[in-house]
Amino acid sequence: METLVLSQSFEPVARIPWQRAVMLIFQGKVEVVEEYEDRFVRSVTVEIRMPSVIRFFRGLRKGPKGVKFSRENVYLRDRCRCQYCGLKVSRAEATYDHVLPRAQGGRTSWDNVVIACVPCNQRKGNRTPEHAKMALRCAPVKPKKLPDAMHLTFVFEQGMPMSWAKFLRDVAYWHGELEA
């Protein structure tokens, strides 16, 4: 079982194992917002309901190392768009393209990886954009910060505990894209 972790301002920030959640509770770092009705954690002297949703008492600190290099952060940096054709790409359809292919010495780094849609990635293949006669919309660089889109990572999906729904749905409602 997992526990949904909320920031001090009730925004979802992580999903963690229930054991870690219980440890954070006993360390006094979080409060329990929701509990599983039918799940319990028992010791010799204590019985508590398993936490379903917890919230940090204090704000989360940003690390001094800057933005972590990850697929999610490349997707956010590129604003969910293919860097060759400019089409908006869902996370499920996004591919990660090495501008200078690894076979030609390209590294997996901020300045060599971009989001691409499947057709553009296949068209480019194992070539540079110049050889494939394709242009990058923006040169890839390490961002100093990312757009405030971390909350988009968490959407309510089938199989998640119902106690998570109101926290995930509210974020999607307020931060989701509006129809034109």
Side-chain angles (χ1 to χ4, degrees):
M1 297 298 303
E2 286 188 313
T3 300
L4 179 66
V5 181
L6 305 176
S7 68
Q8 186 180 19
S9 59
F10 287 88
E11 292 182 274
V13 293
R15 294 165 60 168
I16 61 172
W18 67 266
Q19 295 93 331
R20 173 90 174 115
V22 169
M23 189 171 75
L24 290 169
I25 293 165
F26 282 104
Q27 289 174 340
K29 295 181 178 184
V30 298
E31 68 176 331
V32 177
V33 178
E34 297 281 341
E35 300 169 325
Y36 289 106
E37 294 294 321
D38 58 343
R39 306 269 175 160
F40 295 89
V41 178
R42 294 180 176 93
S43 75
V44 176
T45 56
V46 177
E47 176 180 288
I48 62 169
R49 284 204 166 126
M50 188 179 292
S52 172
V53 181
I54 59 175
R55 180 182 78 95
F56 276 102
F57 287 125
R58 295 186 176 177
L60 301 172
R61 283 186 250 148
K62 303 272 193 248
K65 297 179 183 175
V67 179
K68 179 176 121 184
F69 180 62
S70 68
R71 286 181 171 87
E72 177 71 16
N73 288 342
V74 170
Y75 183 78
L76 293 173
R77 176 202 65 190
D78 291 350
R79 301 196 179 274
C80 318
R81 296 195 175 275
C82 172
Q83 293 301 294
Y84 296 105
C85 68
L87 290 178
K88 192 160 190 154
V89 183
S90 73
R91 278 183 178 80
E93 296 168 343
T95 63
Y96 303 90
D97 178 61
H98 289 80
V99 177
L100 176 63
R102 289 175 22 189
Q104 296 179 32
R107 296 185 356 242
T108 303
S109 62
W110 279 113
D111 57 356
N112 193 48
V113 175
V114 296
I115 292 296
C117 64
V118 172
C120 285
N121 202 343
Q122 288 176 342
R123 183 174 146 215
K124 180 179 168 283
N126 200 18
R127 301 176 288 179
T128 63
E130 296 78 28
H131 286 113
K133 294 186 172 51
M134 298 171 75
L136 277 171
R137 297 201 165 240
C138 294
V141 295
K142 180 177 180 175
K144 288 184 173 55
K145 66 177 219 159
L146 292 170
D148 294 329
M150 289 304 288
H151 51 267
L152 296 177
T153 303
F154 297 98
V155 292
F156 187 75
E157 298 170 357
Q158 189 174 5
M160 288 181 170
M162 286 307 296
S163 58
W164 295 13
K166 65 182 169 187
F167 300 104
L168 300 178
R169 181 177 55 237
D170 289 348
V171 170
Y173 175 80
W174 286 108
H175 298 289
E177 186 174 3
L178 297 174
E179 294 181 25

